[in-house]
Amino acid sequence: DLTGAPATSLSTSTKNLLNKMLEYRKKDFIMTCSRNVDKEKGGVKLPNGLVNDHVYTVLDCRELEDPPIALV
């Protein structure tokens, strides 16, 4: 931990994940995400452009009402 700030870990199975992320955004928390897979597949670039075992900064997240869409 480089900042000394509290840290927590969430997964895609976390209940109310988007609501938690929206709450953290309002509090100006630093958010990151990664795609963790089998270490043997590390560095593999997927068709969507994401790379296995690479960390990404979450710059923003929003929830749209019409149509209902979550953007991260």
Side-chain angles (χ1 to χ4, degrees):
D1 180 355
L2 298 175
T3 66
T8 188
S9 179
L10 305 172
S11 74
T12 54
S13 63
T14 299
K15 187 176 180 180
N16 298 317
L17 176 62
L18 179 62
N19 290 336
K20 289 182 185 217
M21 291 181 69
L22 292 170
E23 175 188 339
Y24 298 161
R25 179 181 59 85
K26 286 180 185 177
K27 294 180 178 181
D28 290 326
F29 286 7
I30 297 170
M31 292 189 282
T32 62
C33 64
S34 65
R35 185 172 192 283
N36 295 324
V37 296
D38 185 348
K39 293 292 182 189
E40 293 178 12
K41 297 180 182 178
V44 175
K45 186 174 182 180
L46 304 172
N48 63 8
L50 297 178
V51 178
N52 291 335
D53 290 335
H54 185 78
V55 178
Y56 297 90
T57 302
V58 177
L59 299 176
D60 201 357
C61 57
R62 303 285 173 152
E63 184 175 28
L64 303 180
E65 293 180 12
D66 189 25
I69 298 173
L71 301 172
V72 176

